Amino acid sequence: MSHFPRKAPVLLMLAASFGLAGVALADDLELAQKLATNHCAVCHTFDKGGPPGQGPNLFGLLGRKAASESNFTYSDGYSKAVSGKVWDEQMLDAWLTDTQAVAPGSAMVYAQGDPAKRQKIITYIKSLH
Ligand code: HEC
């Protein structure tokens, strides 16, 4: 019995810090989504089954075979360069760093030099599944 008064505040503190961590994560994801929307949504949709735009739909990208969206016509340069590859975080980071280095002649021209921004975009894409 005498333990309760001492333990209760500790438990409350734990609950509070978990709660705060949850809020911080949600904020991060919101920022990540904003960045991805600003940088990518003119050409890509992110929702499940979303239509292709100027680029293919990106829902569930990680773990997906590159150049595999059947309702999108990829450029020859891109298709050849990524043939047999599967999207993972490392490939996505390289892609966002310089698309033309990964797939010369690709129809997507993008180079993000800020690793923190690339990581945010990757975090957002990872959250889609
Ligand atoms: C101006 C239009 C445009 C913008 C903006 C754009 N993309 Fe693309 N994206 C494309 C096109 C077009 C392709 C197809 C490339 C090809 O066929 O050469 C593509 C392909 C891709 C692929 C390959 C998908 C697959 O199925 O293999 C990924 C991943 C991708 N884009 C991610 C992004 C991300 C993330 C952003 C935002 C940082 C972005 N793109 C911004 C036009 C764009």
Side-chain angles (χ1 to χ4, degrees), residues 15-103:
S17 53
F18 277 124
L20 284 177
V23 169
L25 275 178
D27 277 356
D28 276 1
L29 198 57
E30 207 168 291
L31 274 179
Q33 176 172 17
K34 228 173 243 168
L35 198 65
T37 303
N38 289 344
H39 284 232
C40 323
V42 261
C43 298
H44 294 281
T45 54
F46 290 105
D47 53 322
K48 187 174 185 178
Q54 214 175 307
N57 175 266
L58 295 180
F59 180 88
L61 181 81
L62 297 180
R64 184 168 106 187
K65 218 174 141 236
S68 64
E69 283 287 278
S70 56
N71 61 2
F72 183 79
T73 307
Y74 296 90
S75 69
D76 287 344
Y78 177 77
S79 301
K80 275 194 196 115
V82 301
S83 168
K85 293 189 178 164
V86 172
W87 281 104
D88 60 16
E89 285 186 48
Q90 207 182 346
M91 181 170 163
L92 186 52
D93 191 55
W95 177 247
L96 296 178
T97 303
D98 184 0
T99 58
Q100 298 302 304
V102 172

